[in-house]
Structure formats: structure tokens, C-alpha cells
Amino acid sequence: MAPAPNAIPAGIVALLPKLSDADADIRYMSLSDLDNILRSGSAGFLTNEYHTCARTVDCLLKTLDDTNGEVQNQAIKCIGSLTPRAPPELLPPMVEKLSTLKTTNSVDASIPATALRVFITAFPRPITGAQPTQSTQEAYSAISKVLIPRLVGYVVMSNGSRNQPTPPPGMLEVHADNTIDSNAIDVLIELIRCFGSMLQDPEKKALQESTMAIFDNERTGTIVKKKVVLAISLLALYMSDILLNTFVSSILESLNNPNLTAAQHRLLITMVGSLARTVPQRFGRYLRQLIPFILGPLSEQAYQDALEDTADTGTADAEAEEVREAALLALEGFLSSCSNDMRPYTDEAMQAAIRFVAYDPNVSADTEDEEMGGTQDSVADGDEADPEEEDEDFEEEGAVSDDDDASWKVRRCAAKALYAIISTRSNGDLLENGILYEKIAPVLISRFREREENVRVEVLSSLTALVRKTSDNTITPFSFAGETEFELSSAVEARSRKRRRLGSDATLFESPAISQAGFKSPDASPLPSSGPKADLARLSSSIIRGVSNLLQQSTLTTKQSGIALLREMVNAQNGGLSEHFGIIAEPVIDAIRSPTGHPTFHSAGAVALASTSKLRIEALQLVGAICDNHSSTLIAPYASNLVEAVTAAVQDKYFKVSSEAIMAVESLIKVLTPPRSAGTLQANRNHVEKLYEVVLERTVATDADVEVRQRAIHALGVLLVRGSGLNQVRVLSETQRMKTVGVLLDRLRNETTRVSAAKAIDMLLSSCKDASVIQKDWTRDVAVELGAQLRKANRGLRGVSLATLRDLVGNAAALSCLDDKTVQAVTEMLLPLVSSHDLNLLGMALIIFAKLVRQSPKNVVNARLITTLCDVVVAPLGGAVLDALLVLLKAIGEQRVGQPLMQSLLQDVGVNGDPTVVGKAIGTLVVSGGATVGVKLDDFVTELHSAPDDKRKCLALSVLGEAGYRLGSSSPLEPGLFTKYFGSKSQSLPRAAATALGRAGAGNVKTYVPVILTTTSEAGSSQYLSLHAIKEILQFTGQARSDISPYIKQMWEKLMAASQAEDNKAVGAECIGRLTVIEPKTFLPSLQVSILILVPSRGREITNSLSQRCLHSAAPSVRGMAIQAIRFTLSDGDETFDEVLRPILVPMLRAMMNDQNLENRRLALGVLNSATHNKADTILPNLTELVPLVMKESIIKPELIREVMMGPFKHKVDDGLEVRKSAYETLYTLMEGAYSRISPMDLFGRIIAGLEDEHEIKVLSNLMLSKMVYIDAEETSRHLDSIAERYRSILAFKPKENAVKQEVEKLNEANKGVLKVTLLLHEVLPAKSSAGNNVQSEKWKGYWDWVKENFRSQLAGMEQELRSQTA
């Protein structure tokens, strides 16, 4: 039987009498049951139960005054459950009763205020700019009608009602006994957080005046005033510009008051600093008026007066100290949140922070100088200071006890202000001109002997940030055949360029020589004559000596900060410790050692253990950096102690310490093995033996963490490679080598370590050619196991296994170990990857097959492979994948097993696939297989003449073009065979003929180029097709480039003339660019002339008549063609080309981006984008003049927006959209490759503006944000509120009912992108999404709560996707 409709309300009524029971347990359990009923009921089940709800409220109010605290807490929970379900007309009296509730039995006076806060938070938060829900509107109505008058003490919004009762004295008013209810301020803070966006201006003004009255009251305590500052800062988020201006004016008026007390001054400055952090975009305009009041207490005069007062009275003025602390905190807020508006005041701010970072009135100047002398020389004799004595020195050198001396707070805030200057003004700014190293760095170094630990750590952190910025500012990463990502990508890029220029197949088999990491001792980096690195080098000696002195202290935090500073110095300078390594070696080694023997360790407990672990990790990272960037000769004297300490750390129970120690072991291995090893062979063998044992033990240990085992496997691979006979010196014995390869094979079969094992084996196979290490049985087992991994669902595992298999077959010694059975097994497991669904894996699989075909052709080329290849050929392949396919087909032909494949290609594929791909495949097989494939070249000539349809003719042309290219000068094909089809009326045949002509001409330049140049002179389609033929020749000329030299000048003139036509401009520009690469000294100046459009001075001779015409021509098309041509030169140029381009590239870019033609500026942005990728060493030093031009193009220009009529409707067309899109693409490239040289504030300004732009720009801005959160999380966190506003407006937008499908799809795509980045920002910056008293990111917190509530299902799916990507 179904329950009666009033069953739940009846249940509530039944529980109400029990709330007055004498037994506290019954009262508590009844409240718990009531809460369960309220939560389980639907949203409207009490809407018509006014009297029941009223009785429930009365009963709950009584239990709020209960003597039992647990009952009170349960009653508060019930209020939170009842509030959103209560009838709307009950809300005002409920607020009235809660706000006037007086507790007599309760000890806790904050219970009524807590209940009010629960009432406020029970409703959904309103969304800025969106229509609030009905329940939220009803809640706000009750709050506006009852709670706000109750807070301020008078009716603020009359709403047209007359004879309203006068409310009782306001909760925020000062009581008769001059006391303030701090709980009322807590209610106000919650009210603003939840309903701030719905408050009317009169209500905001009333709340502001009431809180400022509390603020101005002299009897108000410090804690209450801090709450007031928080409330005002939150309220400022929702103030209108007029109200904010009025409020700031009142603050200025108060600051101008001559009778202002020090306490009031401090609080006003604190409020100003809080406002700067809360509303930085709107607050910056007031800095010009406010900054004098901030810098006044920090002036030189104030500094001298403070010292004199302290000297006269013997103690510092505590209130004045607090004012200085507040001023420095506000200054830090200005610098970090309003950095652009603070630029005019940077010098004054810097001087103030520098002045007070050394402010220590209780220590005389003589003592300070004595301290500095000790910093420089205290460890010169090598004696180690006693930690306890060192601490005593810090405590006793001041004249006043630290308990009475608060000047350290001023110094700490000054150090934070310096950190803010460094973090916001070092991106292509004060770091480049040397100001930071000239003015700030020496002062920070001088404060290494700071007495107070907190200040000392801030000083070290600030200097570390400066050194890190210097490292980020480096143009070209240091390289000595190392194993860095930069070198790997450079090797791949260089190989791809070589392939494009030379058309060589051999480079496809090359793999990065990762075993060469640290192969030789690095040479010292040349010291630059100027710039940040030169400035750092000049101060390195002082920094190292100062840090070495700090490392003698017993404080773990100081040691950790000092070691982190040294590590950043090594990374920034790629060394730099050579001259002073002796004074830091032993302290660093001591930091690595386990602290369990220290007398104070056991008494400190878990906190000391955690701090010590962090210190050891920092020290191990420093050791790794030192080994990677310094000569082994420097490290040799300390090798024994280093090995002892590091091996002990490897066995540490804490996995992070053990994992980092293994990384240090890997660096030590490179130092101790030939040819880098500098010590005696026997000594190094002993060290390597210890490292080998501990790494092997960690590799096979079942109780070790997975990360530890994975890193141990990698280190074992490095040790095996370096210890197995490189440079004819073997450090590992035969037994050890055989045991190691067996362990790697065993780990390859383990699910948790197989990826790491595959990478370690890859290192061995890509470098070691020694047959004594690469044995037959082991190699066969590895090949089969790698093949088995290719069947796994994990794509990352398949990719690593395939790369390792590629290096296995690329190693001659390993390939010779494979027997027919193994080859057959690997072939069967490899076949599923020969599919066009995953081109990355397909390319490597084809390369492996090419090698296996040469090893065992009859076992590899079977019916399954032929069928699979035919399926692949049908797909539209290109680039490296197509090259790999042609290499395989060439190998099949050369091994004389290509006839079955040829028959399948002709019969099963034919014209079903892309004629270009199929033609290249057949042409390659015809030339490489010769008579063994069953067809001849003449057969395709006959097919070309007799084929009935255009598809067969196109295929025949493609085959003949590829065959002509591969036959070279021995080709019997004449150019006329192709040019006769230029006049065909078919849509596809002329273009196919042009491409085939160029392809054949690339192999036989002398025969084809003269004919093509003759055709270029003809007007119309023949000229256009000839340009395509020239493009193919220039792209694939390869080693026959010398053959084209006699035709270069004529080709240039023909191309320049033909490219004037609009249809020819794009292909002509590509040809001109590729030709410029061949003769840069001749043609680059001509392109420069075409771009700059400068009228030559008298007497200057122009030898090139065409350049003369370009020079005088102001035609935008000529400049556009030249700009496009420059772009095609950037990816293929060699060193000779770079020497010519380097001095003229930036002037050309500047001229391009200032071009009056909109399309030319778009092309110029593409050139800058490409130049940043390919010519970074030329572009990056000049970004200060190029970036503003890019920023300028990213701004919406109203003059480029026009209205057009589409039928009866008006439609807006933005002609500047494509230029803005190119600008954002360029900013994205610069952000990834040169962020340290771009102003973060300017960049974020454009990113946030892009979130309000068209769909394409929104997508790019979202992508940039997803990268920025990793590149600069700190700066990203400062802009979360602005991001939240834009994201909210995107997600809250609803399309019209008659919106077309494309608009809806764009909107869904935009929403999905916003949610993805929202989740990413929350994952990286979780603290910003959680509730707290920090007013920063308040809008982001509300936005995150709203997203969680309204997009729960979408977030869940995206979170799972993000987790899988991370895994």
C-alpha cells in the first residue's frame, strides 16, 4: 500500500515533542532522525506545510540554546536541511528569530551566528550575470528584508512599504559597553560570499559604512579589525565603479588625516593591500594616489628616524614597526597583482624593499659588517662550525632578545617584496638590463647571515627565483651529447631536415644515440660578455661562499634552501662550481647521509624526518646536476664519499629519497665510466661495483616502490651500456653483464616494469655493438617478448616496445642473432600495426619490416604482409610514413621477392587509392625489383597512352615520375612525355603531369630543367603547372643540387616574373623560398628589398633589374609573395644560410608586421611563428621589439568589422579575425618557447581577452591556459577570478531556439573546452578552489562550486579521461 502524502510531515510532527525531552541522548537522536527526514524529502514536500515548518523552527531555536553541545550542533544541521525546503513566507520570520536569538544555557555565544551562516549557505549561490533560481531569489528577499536591516540597524531597502517596524540595534553596531560582536562580522562575510552579486548598491553602501564604523572604532580589537578587512575586501568584488571610487576616496581622506594614529595607519594600509589582491584590474587606477602613503613609511628618512629612535630609547617603536610591515605587505600586493600599473614606481618600490630587507635596528653597523666578513671567509680554512654554537651566535649577536624584537617581520616582508619584483619584472625586463643583478642580488647575498630563520629562507628563496629566471632566459640549452629532451628533439628535427634536403633513405633507420649521455666530460661553457648569465657569473663566488657557510648550520630549512639555490645555479650556468667545489662538497655529502645518528634527531620525531627527507632529496638533485655539468676530474677526489652516501640513500625506506638517489647514481655512473672517468681504473671499478650492487638489488626487490624499481632499471641500463666496453675499457665483468641482461629480460616480462625495461634495452641496443653482450638466445627472447607487448592495449607500451624493436633490427649484431623462427614470430605480431589508423606506429613498423626483409625476405614477405600493404597504400599517406613505406618496397624489390606484391598492387589496388601514393609505391618497386617484378617501365608508358580514363592516366604518370626520379640520369623518359598533358581539359590530369614532371626532373636535372623553364615563360595554366614542377624539383633534388646551379639565376628570374600573377603567388613563393636556400647570399637581399620597399639613394647601383622593379613597386602582392617565400626558407636552411639570414631577419620581420596590408601582416605573423621554431637563437634576443607588434594584432579592431546583408538579415563580418587568429597562434608558440621573455601580465591580458572573442580565438586561449598552468602556476593563480568570470559567461550562454546546427556544435565544443581547462586548473591549483579566509580567487571558488553542481556528469567523465592520460 502506498504511503499517505502527508506521511513525511507527520513524521516530523511526531519528532517535535522529543526535542524537549529531559534526556540529551533522546534529543540528539530525534534531531538526527529529523535531519534524515528533511534530507530524504523532495524539494517541495514542505511547501504547503507552513504550520509544521513554523513549529519545527520554534523547536529548533529552543535546541540551539541546549546545554549539550552535540545537540546544538545537530540542531544547526537541521536548520541547514530545513531552510531550502521551508515555505518562502516562513524565511523572513525565521531570519528574524535567528538574528534576535539570545542563548542563556549555552556556553558558546556564537551559536546563533553559526545558525545564520548555515541558513545563508543552504541556498544555491547566484551566478554573476545569470538569472537566479526561484529559491535563491526568495532567500535573498528574506535577507534583504530582515537580515541586512538587522545587521546595520536600519531599513535599507523599503521596497515601497510604509510603516515598517524599526529594527532593533544593528548586530554590526558598537554596543553601549564599546564592545563589538565579532560573530556578526562572520555572518556578514558569509552573506557577501553567497549573495554578494545580488546585493543592491544601497545595501553594499550600508554594509560598507557599518563595517568601516567598526574599523574606525578605537576600542575594536585587532582580530575583529582583520575580519573587517576581509569583509570589505569581499564586498569590493561586487562594488560598482562608483561605489569603489567613493570607498577609495574615503580611505585617501583618512590617510590624509594629520591626527591618524599608527594603528589606524597600519589597518588602512592593510586594507589597501587586500583590495589590490582582490580587485587588481579595477584597483590599479588608484595606485597613483595611494602609492605615496605606502612608500612614505618606507622612505630613507623614515628609515633613518627609526634607527635614531632605537639608538635613543634602546627599543624600536612597535607600532611603527607594524606600519612598516603592513606597508611592505601592501607593496608586495601591488607588485604581484597590479604589476603593469606599478611599473612607474618600480624604482621606489625596489629601493624601499632593499632598504628594509637589511633593517635591523638592534644590531649595530659594525656588527653587521663583521657578520658579512664571516660569511665570506668563515669556511676558508675548511673547519666545520659546530651547529649548536652557530645557533647560539645567531641568538646572541643582537642586543635585544628575539622575543622583544619584531624587526624581523619587516625584513621578511621586504624580502617578499623583492621576490615579487623578481617574479613579475624579469621576463624580458629588469633581468635583461641587469637591474636585478646590479641592485637586488648583492643585497640578498649580504643577508645570508640573517639572524631569523624565516627571513633567511625568504632571502634564499628570492635569490633562487632570480637564478631560476636566469636559467629560463637562456636561449640555447647546454649540450654535450647529453640525453635531454632538447637534444632528442633536435636530433629528430635535424634528421627530418636532412631527409627533406637529400631524400636519403638511410636516415630513417637512425635512432637517437641516447647511450652517449655524458660520454665525455663537458667543456666549460663560454662566459658571455653581457646579459643575465654574465651577471650571475660575476656573483657566483660570493653566493657559493655564503651558501657554504649556511650549510654548516643545524637548521634543516636553511640547508634545504641553500642547496636548492646551488642547484639552480648549476642548471643556469651549466656548471659554475668548479672553483669552489671543495668548500661545498662535504656539507652536501653530509646532507645526503641518513640523520639517524644525529643526537637531536630522535627527539624531533616525524616532523624532523619529513624535513630531513626533503633536504636529502634536494642534496641528491644537486649531486646529479653537478655530475652532469662538471668534469669528472673535479668530482674524482670526492667519489668515494659520494658513492657511500648515495648508495645508502638508495636503500632508504622512503621511496622519494630512494628514487632520487637512483637518479644521482645514474649521473655518478656517467662520471665513473670511460671515457669521462678521471681516476684510476681500479678505484672506479670499486665504485661502480658498489653502485651496480645497490641498483641491481633495488631492481629485483619485491618490496621496493614501483617508481624506485623503474628508475633502478633505467640506471641499470645506463650502467650496462657504459660498463660493457665503450672505448675498449670494460668496467663490468662478463658475469655481471650476463646477469644484468637476464634481469632486464625478466623485468621486461613483468607488468609493472616492462616499459622501463624496454627503454633500458633500447639504450643497450642503440649503442652497444658488442656480440659478447648481445647474445643470440637473449636477443631472440627479447625480440619475441617485445613483439608480444605490441598486442597490449596500452598505447604507450606499444610505442616503447616498437621503438626498441626498431633499434634491435637496426643493430647489426642483434639482427644477425635472429633466426627464421624468431623473424616469423615477430612478423606475425608486427602485422596488426601495419594500419593507417595509427600513423606514428605505422612508420616504425614499416621501418622494422624493411630491415627484416633484408635479413630473411622469404619469411617476411608473405600473403598477409602483401594484403596488409595493399590496404595501407590505399590510405592518403605522406611525410615520414610514406618515406618508410617506400623504403620497405625498395627493400622488397632489391631482395627479388616483389612480384606477388606488384601483382596485388596492380590488380587489387590500382586506381582505388590515391594515385600519388600508389604511383610512388609501384614506381619504387619497378625500379628496385627490375625484371623480377613482372612488369617493365614501357608497360606504364603504353598504359599512359592507351588508358581510357583519367584515373589510370594519373596513376601511370605518378609511376613514371617516381621511376624517373629513382633512375636518375639513366632514365629513358623524356620531358615531353609529361608536358603533352598540360593542355588536357581534365581537372586532375594536368596537375598529375606537373607533379610527375617535377619528380622525374629531380633525378635528371640537366634534361628536364631547361624544358620546364621554357614552359614557365608561357602564360596561363602551363606557367602554373611549370611552377609546380619546379617545386617538386627543388624539394627532391637531393645530392644533385650541384646540377641545378647553372640554372639558378634563370630560374629565379622566371619565378619572380611568374609569381606576380595572383594564382601563382602561393606556389611561386614556395619555389622562391626553396631556391633562396640554395643561394642565400644572392637571393636573400633581393627578398629583403621586396619586403622593405625602400627607395634607393642616389648613386646606389641595383644590379638585378627585377629587384629594381620590386624596390620601386608598392604592390601588396609583391610584398606578400616575398613574405611567404621567407617562411619557406626557415625550416630548410643550413649554417651558411643562417649566417646570411641572421642580420636581416629581424628587420624584415619588423617591416612585415608593420605592413599596411592586412593579409601581409597575417603572413608576417606566420613567418614569425615559423622563425621562433626554427631560428630561435636569432628571434629570442629581439622579442622585446617583436612581441608588442604581435600583441597589437591580437586586439579586436572595430574599424575592421562591417555589416553585410544576407537576405533580410544583417550579418557582421570581422575582417581582422584571421589576423587575430595568427597572432594568437604566434603568442602560443612564443609562450611555449620564450615565456621568460614575455611580460606575464600582458600575455594573460590577451589570453583573457581571447576568452571573449570569436570561437576560434576562444579555442586558442583555452589551449594557452592549459599550458600556462604548468609554465607559470603562480601567475595563473593571480588571474583565476578573471578566468572564472569569462568561463561562467561561456557556460551560462544559451543558444536561440532557431540556432543552426553549426552554432550549437560550436557552443558544445566551447563548453567542453572550458570544462576541461576548469578541471585542469582545479587539479593543478586545488587550494584555490577550496573555501578559506583568503579573499584572492573568491570568484573562482564560487565558480568551481557552481560547475561541480551543474556539470557533475561531464566533469566525472573528463576527470577519468585526465587520469588515464596522466597514467
Side-chain angles (χ1 to χ4, degrees), residues 389-515:
E389 293 179 2
E390 194 72 30
D391 285 345
E392 292 174 2
D393 291 342
F394 275 121
E395 293 173 1
E396 295 175 1
E397 60 192 10
V400 179
S401 169
D402 283 344
D403 295 334
D404 301 323
D405 180 18
S407 64
W408 67 271
K409 297 180 181 179
V410 177
R411 297 194 299 276
R412 182 185 62 182
C413 294
K416 289 183 176 181
L418 290 176
Y419 181 91
I421 293 173
I422 292 169
S423 62
T424 59
R425 296 299 305 277
S426 57
N427 287 32
D429 195 357
L430 299 183
L431 183 63
E432 285 294 325
N433 61 22
I435 296 296
L436 296 181
Y437 273 106
E438 178 184 347
K439 294 185 177 180
I440 294 181
V443 176
L444 293 176
I445 297 171
S446 70
R447 298 309 304 166
F448 280 2
R449 285 299 300 258
E450 166 64 47
R451 295 181 295 119
E452 177 62 35
E453 174 77 7
N454 290 332
V455 184
R456 205 158 55 235
V457 171
E458 288 292 343
V459 167
L460 288 168
S461 298
S462 299
L463 191 57
T464 302
L466 177 56
V467 176
R468 187 181 301 115
K469 290 288 185 179
T470 305
S471 177
D472 295 340
N473 212 46
T474 304
I475 296 176
T476 305
F478 175 80
S479 172
F480 55 92
E483 192 184 345
T484 64
E485 292 291 336
F486 173 83
E487 293 162 40
L488 183 60
S489 62
S490 297
V492 173
E493 183 180 0
R495 191 167 68 247
S496 65
R497 291 183 191 174
K498 180 179 179 183
R499 183 171 64 251
R500 285 200 303 267
R501 293 196 302 267
L502 302 182
S504 172
D505 299 333
T507 54
L508 287 172
F509 295 108
E510 296 175 4
S511 60
I514 53 180
S515 61

Side-chain angles (χ1 to χ4, degrees), residues 1047-1060:
Y1047 309 101
I1048 284 181
K1049 185 176 180 181
Q1050 182 184 2
M1051 188 179 292
W1052 173 266
E1053 293 178 351
K1054 298 279 188 182
L1055 288 172
M1056 292 295 285
S1059 300
Q1060 305 299 311

Side-chain angles (χ1 to χ4, degrees), residues 560-582:
Q560 181 181 338
S561 300
I563 290 176
L565 173 57
L566 290 177
R567 175 171 51 81
E568 293 295 341
M569 286 183 63
V570 173
N571 292 333
Q573 301 179 102
N574 309 119
L577 301 185
S578 301
E579 297 180 4
H580 306 281
F581 186 65

Side-chain angles (χ1 to χ4, degrees), residues 343 423-429 432 469 473 1172 1180 1183-1184 1187-1188 1190-1191 1226-1244 1246 1264 1268 1272 1275:
R343 285 178 182 271
S423 62
T424 59
R425 296 299 305 277
S426 57
N427 287 32
D429 195 357
E432 285 294 325
K469 290 288 185 179
N473 212 46
T1172 305
L1180 298 190
L1183 283 183
T1184 51
V1187 169
V1190 182
M1191 296 281 187
T1226 305
L1227 284 176
Y1228 177 80
T1229 301
L1230 293 171
M1231 177 195 71
E1232 284 196 311
Y1235 176 71
S1236 61
R1237 295 169 180 269
I1238 306 175
S1239 169
M1241 291 294 292
D1242 293 341
L1243 181 60
F1244 265 101
R1246 299 318 311 148
M1264 294 172 75
M1268 280 301 304
D1272 194 344
E1275 189 66 31

Side-chain angles (χ1 to χ4, degrees), residues 32-181:
S32 178
D33 293 340
L34 176 61
D35 184 58
N36 291 333
I37 292 175
L38 292 172
R39 289 181 181 276
S40 62
S42 62
F45 83 100
L46 291 176
T47 303
N48 299 319
E49 299 289 337
Y50 181 88
H51 294 291
T52 301
C53 290
R55 287 184 58 194
T56 305
V57 169
D58 291 337
C59 293
L60 290 176
L61 290 174
K62 290 181 181 179
T63 53
L64 287 176
D65 194 24
D66 201 282
T67 56
N68 188 291
E70 292 183 357
V71 173
Q72 288 177 313
N73 293 335
Q74 195 65 35
I76 291 174
K77 287 179 62 178
C78 288
I79 288 176
S81 302
L82 173 65
T83 298
R85 295 169 174 81
E89 56 272 18
L90 185 63
L91 297 180
M94 185 176 179
V95 175
E96 178 72 26
K97 292 179 180 180
L98 284 172
S99 61
T100 56
L101 178 65
K102 301 292 183 182
T103 55
T104 56
N105 299 321
S106 173
V107 178
D108 188 357
S110 67
I111 290 295
T114 304
L116 269 175
R117 290 164 60 192
V118 170
F119 172 87
I120 293 169
T121 57
F123 296 94
R125 289 191 180 187
I127 305 168
T128 304
Q131 188 70 23
T133 62
Q134 182 179 354
S135 61
T136 302
Q137 185 64 50
E138 293 166 350
Y140 166 69
S141 178
I143 289 170
S144 177
K145 184 178 179 180
V146 180
L147 182 56
I148 293 179
R150 184 69 185 88
L151 286 170
V152 300
Y154 59 91
V155 177
V156 180
M157 303 287 290
S158 62
N159 296 323
S161 301
R162 296 182 180 181
N163 302 322
Q164 288 185 342
T166 303
M171 298 169 63
L172 296 174
E173 291 182 1
V174 181
H175 299 169
D177 56 355
N178 285 329
T179 60
I180 303 293
D181 184 8

